[in-house]
Amino acid sequence: MRHLVIVLLLGLFVAVPVYGQNELIVEPADISGKTLDETVRGDTTAGGQRVNLERIYVLRRGAIYLVSSSIQNTGYPLRMRAEDGTGAKPQINIIRGGTGAYAAQIFQADSLLDLKNLTMNGWDEGFEEFSVYQSRIINVNRIGTQVYVDSCILNGSTATLIQTSVAAQYLRATNSIFANGGNVRANNLGNGRAIDFRNVSIDSAFIQNCSFLNFQDRVFRHFGAGQVPINNFTVDHNTFVNDLAEHGCIGIGAVGGTITITNNLFVDHFVLGNDSTAYQGASSRLAEFGDTGERGPNGQFRMTFVGSIPDETTEFVIHNNYYSVSPSLQAFYDSRNDSSDAGIGDLIPLTWHINGKLGADSANAFTKVATPITFTDAPATPIAFAEWFFTPHDEGGAGKQKVNDTFLPEYDFDRRDLAYFRDTLDLAYQTASEAYTAAVGGFPVGDLNWFPTRKSDWVTYVTSVEDIGGAIPQNFTLDQNYPNPFNPSTKIRFSLPNSGNVVLKVFNMLGQEVVTLMNEKREAGNHEFTFDASRLSSGVYVYRLTSGNFVASRKMVLIK
């Protein structure tokens, strides 16, 4: 039997067999004389065929690897990770190529891309002029590609750190840091995102226990009327810090399936505020808030943290998210209230449409903390950037426009180099904060990696999903849990006639969601899930399985 480990709200870990002979230790350029892209391209037979399709490229800890042209894996999976052990994660730096230009991205994903325990720079740290940031770190360029990023740091881009330029199958980012998106010296203010889904479809995306810092535009972007949907999008236990939110924070455009936004912490994530009283036209902030179709009393598009094109078939699960405004940002908002931007600090979490879909649960979707969050060590709030933005254009500011060539470094984010994000950044916050116990199960909201002990406790939500073998079933089934009644754990069996995304949730008898046990792609077969309900109170619960058009529910009884 094969066992895989998952965590509540964590979804499925990628199965990692023991590869042994498939691993290739890659030496840095100062030893091998080759850039990383040259090594990967050279790993072929005399006929140009890939030597080993199961190859895992293992990078030395503490080493710096150079990339002079995009690493493109057309027709074969690319797996790259740090060597086992301790020490600094390998660092990948982009440098000028033979033509004197930088590659548009480090990785051009044309097949499965799986990265673990790596740090990646979208700019040349040896060239201090920050206008040389590159467009992307990862670009998906072939339909059906899957991307896995775990325990990595992605730092610096003019446009976006990860972009799906064509329809993708699956994107998963866990335990990673995304930082420094955007650069108005090299691109416009409407750029600068962590993950950009453009206007293409994606079957499923899963973002958990990640931290996002210093972005000009939306952290997640999926935009454009009439586009195909993003399906089964999960954003859980992430921390968002210092987002100007030029066009919002989470813009998901056309949607389908289930959109889950839970247990996240947002701190100064809407720095430019709600200034929808002026500056219309194609070059204004408001231009890309229009996906929602919602307009406020002044006739302008409403500015919300989360926005989507209204869709009645999509299920929204949004709860236990907390946000905070630092004293310096609040002072900036207060100063603007004496101008035409009165109400700039009146931040709006959700669209009317999403609020309506949530019903009474919308009251628990986003909560503002009573006492502002303070981090152990984080970049400063970009107040100077916001002040420059509101300075009239003829006085050297943005004038609320997207492009301005007079932008100086002193207006910029508190940008830090990759070493800071690797060694110094600490987004732990005060344990006295209400946010510290506000997530499902009484855990801290936000990225749990900043609270290692609490994350270990959270991992006690761990259950195991077991492939229990047998013939591939002909039909979908959801069995009665066993034992039932139970205390505190029980097993839930289900069968899938074909592979697909599986969502398994638990509800109380009021119909309120208690926990999402699974939101992952699973292979066809018979599966058994062990549910640990030790944190729940006695009572009757309903568990529901959804996969494609199949939906089934059963009751279970917890007795303590």
Side-chain angles (χ1 to χ4, degrees), residues 172-251:
R172 178 185 180 85
T174 52
N175 306 305
S176 296
I177 296 172
F178 295 75
N180 292 332
N183 179 4
V184 294
R185 290 287 295 276
N187 211 322
N188 63 62
L189 190 59
N191 276 286
R193 297 171 284 274
I195 301 176
D196 190 351
F197 298 105
R198 306 304 293 173
N199 60 347
V200 303
S201 67
I202 182 165
D203 293 342
S204 187
F206 187 87
I207 317 295
Q208 188 175 64
N209 279 319
C210 294
S211 293
F212 300 88
L213 303 96
N214 292 357
F215 289 94
Q216 291 177 181
D217 190 32
R218 289 147 289 191
V219 177
F220 306 129
R221 175 193 189 264
H222 188 233
F223 177 76
Q227 70 196 36
V228 287
I230 180 171
N231 294 296
N232 303 311
F233 187 27
T234 295
V235 181
D236 176 62
H237 268 296
N238 302 288
T239 297
F240 302 83
V241 185
N242 294 348
D243 182 15
L244 289 179
E246 162 75 352
H247 298 306
C249 183
I250 299 179

Side-chain angles (χ1 to χ4, degrees), residues 42-74:
D43 187 25
T44 59
T45 65
Q49 299 299 311
R50 184 61 37 182
V51 170
N52 184 345
L53 293 180
E54 298 302 317
R55 176 79 78 205
I56 301 176
Y57 297 98
V58 179
L59 277 54
R60 298 290 194 188
R61 287 185 176 271
I64 296 178
Y65 293 82
L66 307 178
V67 171
S68 59
S69 63
S70 298
I71 300 173
Q72 187 168 355
N73 61 323
T74 304

Side-chain angles (χ1 to χ4, degrees), residues 17-212:
V18 178
Y19 289 95
Q21 70 275 16
N22 294 327
E23 294 182 349
L24 176 66
I25 300 294
V26 180
E27 300 294 350
D30 58 350
I31 296 176
S32 68
K34 295 181 180 180
T35 59
L36 185 58
D37 49 297
E38 288 172 335
T39 297
V40 174
R41 281 196 302 274
D43 187 25
T44 59
T45 65
Q49 299 299 311
R50 184 61 37 182
V51 170
N52 184 345
L53 293 180
E54 298 302 317
R55 176 79 78 205
I56 301 176
Y57 297 98
V58 179
L59 277 54
R60 298 290 194 188
R61 287 185 176 271
I64 296 178
Y65 293 82
L66 307 178
V67 171
S68 59
S69 63
S70 298
I71 300 173
Q72 187 168 355
N73 61 323
T74 304
Y76 66 92
L78 177 60
R79 302 176 179 90
M80 189 173 292
R81 64 171 179 83
E83 65 180 334
D84 294 336
T86 59
K89 297 177 182 179
Q91 180 171 325
I92 302 174
N93 284 352
I94 197 165
I95 61 170
R96 294 183 189 273
T99 63
Y102 292 91
Q105 56 271 320
I106 294 177
F107 294 100
Q108 177 91 319
D110 280 7
S111 184
L112 180 143
L113 178 65
D114 187 353
L115 307 175
K116 186 176 179 64
N117 280 325
L118 305 175
T119 61
M120 292 160 272
N121 257 333
W123 69 303
D124 183 351
E125 286 197 335
F127 191 77
E128 295 303 324
E129 173 55 56
F130 74 100
S131 63
V132 300
Y133 273 57
Q134 298 313 295
S135 295
R136 299 169 290 264
I137 287 182
I138 298 172
N139 182 43
V140 174
N141 200 47
R142 186 175 292 270
I143 293 173
T145 293
Q146 299 181 39
V147 175
Y148 297 84
V149 176
D150 181 52
S151 303
C152 292
I153 301 174
L154 294 81
N155 175 46
S157 71
T158 58
T160 180
L161 295 169
I162 299 178
Q163 178 172 310
T164 57
S165 296
V166 297
Q169 182 179 7
Y170 188 58
L171 171 65
R172 178 185 180 85
T174 52
N175 306 305
S176 296
I177 296 172
F178 295 75
N180 292 332
N183 179 4
V184 294
R185 290 287 295 276
N187 211 322
N188 63 62
L189 190 59
N191 276 286
R193 297 171 284 274
I195 301 176
D196 190 351
F197 298 105
R198 306 304 293 173
N199 60 347
V200 303
S201 67
I202 182 165
D203 293 342
S204 187
F206 187 87
I207 317 295
Q208 188 175 64
N209 279 319
C210 294
S211 293
F212 300 88

